Amino acid sequence: MNDRTPEETDGRTVLLRGGTVHSPADPFATAVVVERGRIAWVGSEGAADAFADGADEIVDLRGALVTPAFTDAHVHTTATGLALTGLDLSGAGTLAAALDRVRAHASARPGDAVLLGQGWDASRWPEGRPPSRTELDAATGGRPLYLSRVDAHSAVVSTALLDRVPAVTGLPGFRDGEPLTGDAHHAVRRAAYAALTPGQRADAQRAARRHAASLGIGSLHECAGPDISGEEDFTGLLALAAAEPGPRVFGYWAELVANAKEIARIRDLGAVGAAGDLFVDGSLGSHTACLGEPYADAPHSGSARLGPDDIAAHVAACTEAGFQAGFHAIGDAALTAVVDGVRAAAERVGPERVRAARHRVEHAEMLTPETVAAFAELALTASVQPAFDAAWGGEDGMYAQRLGADRARTLNPYAGLLRAGVPLALGSDSPVTPLDPWGAVRAAAFHRTPGHRISVRGAFTAHTRGGWRAVGRDDAGVLVPGAPADYAVWESGSLVVQAPDTRVAAWSTDPRSGTPGLPDLTPGSPLPVCLRTVVGGRTVHARPIE
């Protein structure tokens, strides 16, 4: 197994009964038996009596729902923990409010070598601009400060932090008086995160894993790399996850490779793939996603960081080594480069080998019918974040500002991806958007563009089993005998089968079909509350089942 988690099971047998168990093995199941960290049996309440005498623990579910634990397929764990415990500007409604939070944070952390924060979004502020360096210098009292934009693809910094990276002014992405992007942004981010002590990193990682467990998340895909968090952060996270109970961590390292020696070095870090945020482009919010036509609100088309030749070489090397490859690609031109590169690699090493490797693409927002078809042809997994559409979609959202309403409506076409047979894995890109698995399922089912909506069941599957399949595991993310006992117990309202519209076949919403129900996620209704999260048979989060 490539997951990082401690040996959880102590050989005990646990019987959970008196609830609803979401399982394809029995759509009317009310009980489940866990033995040695795996699902041993799923069935009805009457049959559960036969297991009661042999159980070391019997859990009365009292009507609660049991589902597979969620997998968040795109996370930045340390940054998530820092946002949870430190300076998070995502709730600041104005520039003035953001600066007030910076002042308060600086005052509260007099010993920090560098102040770190994230989440600002000037497109939502009435001032319409990010804080200036002069304002940041005043708010911090002249201390080093790094503040990443909500999409984490640009940042504003104080003069004291710039002084720590004197060569930054000559790097691409540095424009005096504007947010840093590209190489300049990556350079200051490295300097900022290098100032964290090992203890600060570990505390942030623990906070993130603890919060994930409280939301019913059993696995995290850490998307790290030399431009994001550094090797020490990455290996420290994997070591912590192997030593302490909590969600599993699958680590991706975003670095181009050309041969087996380079792949071996990344394997030695503990990575399951040379993938994740291997940037083909940037983001729409920062005007760095690579487009085929210029932005609606800027006189350029973004920038490409990798071309088809780079992509082909990387995918071919990974495929030949039996290693997963993947890329970050958002704009339509970037996604075209990805499929052209992967297709070229397939011509070099064989299409069946490329398909079997389950290479993946993060975000995959600005797809066309042609690139969707290519994803299906090449068996590329689309690792997507429905909360992006909830946050930035719609006729007046950030997408429409950047692209115009017509192009914005094409983004995040989940229904088209599923119709074409493209595997989906759902995540958050936390801290870009919060860890919130049921919120993500809701956002996919109630997409702001109705034609892109998928059923709650389809989105739920993509957020559970889809995440495991994205790391090459077909035996997990579902409650059937033999599967790892990664599950969550939920307090929820009535269970229903929700389809995006009336075009879905009627049998799928009829109780007689035997389709397992899920909580009602209609916008405005309360989301389920996690009562217990179990990973490999060990409880990693619990609150009373009442």
Side-chain angles (χ1 to χ4, degrees):
M1 291 172 61
N2 288 323
D3 52 89
R4 293 300 185 106
T5 191
E7 292 298 322
E8 299 95 346
T9 179
D10 56 8
R12 296 192 317 141
T13 298
V14 179
L15 168 63
L16 297 92
R17 63 187 305 178
T20 300
V21 180
H22 186 88
S23 171
D26 183 346
F28 306 107
T30 60
V32 58
V33 173
V34 175
E35 191 172 69
R36 296 185 178 87
R38 292 191 172 268
I39 304 298
W41 172 85
V42 176
S44 65
E45 189 64 26
D49 291 335
F51 296 93
D53 289 343
D56 299 299
E57 179 185 2
I58 298 176
V59 177
D60 182 359
L61 294 170
R62 301 187 180 186
L65 170 67
V66 183
T67 72
F70 285 102
T71 292
D72 192 307
H74 192 120
V75 173
H76 303 285
T77 307
T78 302
T80 296
L82 291 171
L84 289 168
T85 59
L87 179 54
D88 180 5
L89 299 179
S90 60
T94 66
L95 170 58
L99 289 170
D100 285 343
R101 293 191 184 194
V102 171
R103 288 188 196 93
H105 183 75
S107 177
R109 308 292 285 266
D112 287 5
V114 173
L115 300 167
L116 298 167
Q118 64 86 37
W120 60 269
D121 185 356
S123 70
R124 295 186 173 185
W125 293 344
E127 297 90 344
R129 65 171 180 86
S132 70
R133 196 179 311 152
T134 301
E135 290 168 329
L136 296 179
D137 290 345
T140 60
R143 295 169 63 189
L145 169 72
Y146 167 84
L147 287 181
S148 64
R149 190 184 180 278
V150 63
D151 59 10
H153 283 271
S154 60
V156 291
V157 302
S158 65
T159 301
L161 183 57
L162 276 186
D163 290 344
R164 291 187 173 214
V165 193
V168 70
T169 57
L171 294 176
F174 181 88
R175 293 177 295 278
D176 197 28
E178 297 184 27
L180 303 173
T181 61
D183 292 344
H185 174 220
H186 297 156
V188 297
R189 178 163 56 187
R190 281 194 295 270
Y193 275 80
L196 288 172
T197 66
Q200 285 175 310
R201 279 197 300 269
D203 287 347
Q205 291 162 359
R206 289 188 182 100
R209 292 179 76 229
R210 186 165 55 246
H211 183 56
S214 76
L215 298 170
I217 298 171
S219 298
L220 302 169
H221 294 187
E222 166 67 12
C223 292
D227 289 332
I228 301 165
S229 54
E231 290 185 12
E232 188 176 359
D233 181 90
F234 183 64
T235 57
L237 170 62
L238 296 183
L240 183 144
E244 300 181 5
R248 305 174 192 266
V249 177
F250 297 87
Y252 285 97
W253 186 253
E255 187 171 350
L256 275 180
V257 298
N259 53 56
K261 182 178 180 181
E262 293 173 351
I263 291 172
R265 188 187 70 79
I266 294 176
R267 284 189 197 271
D268 288 345
L269 294 177
V272 299
D277 276 332
L278 184 48
F279 297 120
V280 178
D281 67 347
S283 73
L284 292 166
S286 291
H287 290 99
T288 52
C290 189
L291 312 183
E293 299 291 338
Y295 285 87
D297 61 350
H300 61 81
S301 302
S303 56
R305 297 184 61 83
L306 297 175
D309 291 345
D310 304 310
I311 293 163
H314 181 78
V315 171
C318 288
T319 302
E320 289 181 323
F323 205 46
Q324 196 175 23
F327 305 92
H328 161 121
I330 287 178
D332 53 349
L335 288 160
T336 297
V338 168
V339 299
D340 287 348
V342 176
R343 188 175 284 122
E347 292 172 358
R348 190 178 309 173
V349 302
E352 292 303 323
R353 294 178 69 189
V354 166
R355 285 194 281 266
R358 302 190 190 189
H359 303 309
R360 53 190 283 171
V361 182
E362 309 302 315
H363 315 309
E365 292 196 75
M366 205 172 171
L367 291 157
T368 65
E370 291 75 20
T371 48
V372 168
F375 268 49
E377 170 199 345
L378 299 164
L380 295 173
T381 294
S383 171
V384 299
Q385 296 75 40
F388 286 9
D389 175 73
W392 304 314
E395 296 297 304
D396 301 316
M398 183 271 288
Y399 290 154
Q401 295 173 25
R402 294 291 185 268
L403 302 173
D406 289 343
R407 277 194 295 177
R409 292 188 200 101
T410 69
L411 265 60
N412 303 304
Y414 304 141
L417 286 163
L418 286 185
R419 281 195 300 269
V422 176
L424 287 186
L426 268 56
S428 62
D429 199 10
S430 179
V432 173
T433 59
L435 298 171
D436 180 13
W438 284 115
V441 173
R442 171 185 280 171
F446 294 92
H447 197 295
R448 289 176 179 270
T449 303
H452 298 331
R453 293 174 179 172
I454 59 177
S455 69
V456 166
R457 183 186 183 196
F460 177 80
T461 299
H463 217 339
T464 51
R465 197 170 194 180
W468 282 94
R469 285 173 166 168
V471 292
R473 292 279 299 274
D474 293 326
D475 64 332
V478 61
L479 300 183
V480 296
D486 289 20
Y487 62 88
V489 180
W490 305 94
E491 177 185 283
S492 68
S494 59
L495 303 182
V496 297
V497 178
Q498 281 183 296
D501 57 45
T502 56
R503 291 173 296 174
V504 176
W507 66 265
S508 67
T509 58
D510 188 320
R512 292 171 296 179
S513 71
T515 302
L518 286 166
D520 182 356
L521 300 184
T522 302
S525 60
L527 292 174
V529 175
C530 184
L531 303 175
R532 179 177 297 196
T533 305
V534 175
V535 176
R538 173 179 284 187
T539 299
V540 297
H541 166 76
R543 57 187 291 174
I545 300 175
E546 298 176 351

